[in-house]
Amino acid sequence: MQLGAFQNQDEADNLKAKLALLGVEAKIQSVNVPDKGMVHRVRVGPLSRQDDVERIRAQLKQDGISANVVKAAE
């Protein structure tokens, strides 16, 4: 689940810290995107159960954070 994508590493770190205060463990995945440069994605998971996905999305929504489900590359 992706919670944000930032060109600024500090913004990604700030979101990760905010999530930690909410009890959600997130990771930052830094990738080089053509025409955009380095992008720092804040992600939670992988989550294998749909009910876990929905529970975390609902919790984050209450805290004003939107989450997008992304499929992991196989």
Side-chain angles (χ1 to χ4, degrees), residues 32-53:
N32 195 356
V33 177
D35 299 326
K36 291 189 179 182
M38 188 62 69
V39 175
H40 309 281
R41 298 173 177 159
V42 180
R43 293 187 166 186
V44 172
L47 302 169
S48 58
R49 296 178 27 186
Q50 185 63 31
D51 58 333
D52 289 338
V53 171

Side-chain angles (χ1 to χ4, degrees), residues 18-25 59:
K18 180 178 180 178
L19 292 165
L21 291 173
L22 297 173
V24 177
E25 183 179 342
Q59 174 189 351

Side-chain angles (χ1 to χ4, degrees), residues 50-69:
Q50 185 63 31
D51 58 333
D52 289 338
V53 171
E54 294 305 321
R55 178 181 50 80
I56 291 175
R57 281 181 87 179
Q59 174 189 351
L60 293 171
K61 185 176 182 179
Q62 286 181 330
D63 292 309
I65 300 170
S66 62
N68 297 308
V69 176

